[in-house]
Amino acid sequence: MDLYSGYISRLIEELSALPGIGNKSAQRLAFYLVNQPKEKVKKLSDSIMEARDKVRYCSCCCTLTDQEICPICANEKRDHHTIMVVENPRDLAAYEKTGKFEGVYHVLHGAISPMLGIGPGDIRLKELMQRLQTEEVTEVIIATNSSLEGETTAMYISKLIKPTGIKVTRIASGVPVGGDLEYIDEITLLRALEGRTEL
Ligand code: ZN
């Protein structure tokens, strides 16, 4: 039985398909949206469409950006010999917020998970290895999460890089197990970075 108008039901369905939005939140958002002025809702839908249209992967570090090369990769003041490998752009943002990391990043867009059927070919690992061949890199800091997937990914990457002679380090495990990097405060992140150990 369709309790609401078909349009509302469809909106609820679309919203509840978003990550972290359950059916109750979806309902709340749907009713909120249909009660807002049209211009306000249009601004929201336009911004969604524009972001989807314009956002692309940086051709160097694979983070999301609206340019060919993201501002961090394009910044000559950054230390381009040190690459920090993170799982997603949110982790990059978390480290950037500390303002203390001067190197550059590489965003994998995921982690290896045999359980979920995500293999090395499904994350941006090939791009990282290409960078190591073409750029002068002295250290790769692996800052994947301390979850099982994050650790698996870290081990896999370190094994791949080791033969190249480039120093590979892993951030300290002060980061709570299974904790998403983005939820960890800046001091903990800095400690994890400073306490990194060579793999
Ligand atoms: Zn970049």
Side-chain angles (χ1 to χ4, degrees):
M1 189 177 65
D2 202 357
L3 291 172
Y4 310 123
S5 112
Y7 294 109
I8 295 248
S9 298
R10 198 183 134 201
L11 182 55
I12 293 172
E13 200 183 306
E14 293 296 336
L15 288 168
S16 59
L18 298 173
I21 309 278
N23 194 258
K24 270 197 184 144
S25 303
Q27 288 189 32
R28 207 170 57 235
L29 287 171
F31 289 119
Y32 171 82
L33 287 170
V34 294
N35 280 308
Q36 293 304 301
K38 275 191 183 172
E39 313 79 64
K40 197 173 165 190
V41 179
K42 187 171 183 316
K43 246 171 128 179
L44 173 66
S45 70
D46 284 353
S47 70
I48 294 174
M49 279 311 293
E50 258 176 280
R52 181 62 193 86
D53 257 8
K54 303 266 165 65
V55 171
R56 50 194 294 183
Y57 296 105
C58 168
S59 63
C60 183
C61 73
C62 301
T63 196
L64 296 175
T65 175
D66 46 13
Q67 291 140 21
E68 166 78 19
I69 303 269
C70 78
I72 296 172
C73 289
N75 187 344
E76 283 174 18
K77 291 195 185 112
R78 306 282 299 221
D79 169 15
H80 289 259
H81 305 299
T82 306
I83 296 181
M84 186 194 290
V85 179
V86 292
E87 288 184 24
N88 57 55
R90 299 188 315 257
D91 297 340
L92 181 156
Y95 272 104
E96 271 308 278
K97 262 211 294 211
T98 69
K100 293 279 162 59
F101 178 64
E102 283 163 2
V104 290
Y105 297 90
H106 189 86
V107 181
L108 295 171
H109 293 280
I112 297 169
S113 170
M115 251 171 39
L116 296 174
I118 302 169
D122 300 313
I123 57 176
R124 301 281 176 136
L125 207 50
K126 199 176 74 220
E127 289 85 348
L128 173 65
M129 297 314 288
Q130 269 163 9
R131 280 180 80 181
L132 298 185
Q133 278 172 3
T134 53
E135 296 170 29
E136 258 181 60
V137 178
T138 49
E139 182 180 354
V140 175
I141 303 167
I142 305 178
T144 50
N145 289 333
S146 53
S147 58
L148 178 61
E149 290 80 14
E151 293 297 347
T152 307
T153 309
M155 287 318 293
Y156 188 88
I157 296 177
S158 89
K159 272 191 195 137
L160 269 188
I161 299 179
K162 267 286 165 67
T164 67
I166 297 169
K167 186 176 171 192
V168 188
T169 55
R170 175 87 174 111
I171 54 164
S173 52
V175 179
V177 173
D180 259 22
L181 280 181
E182 61 170 325
Y183 296 120
I184 291 157
D185 68 82
E186 292 168 26
I187 294 166
T188 311
L189 272 187
L190 279 179
R191 260 193 221 132
L193 180 59
E194 278 157 13
R196 66 186 185 270
T197 47
E198 196 160 348
L199 288 176

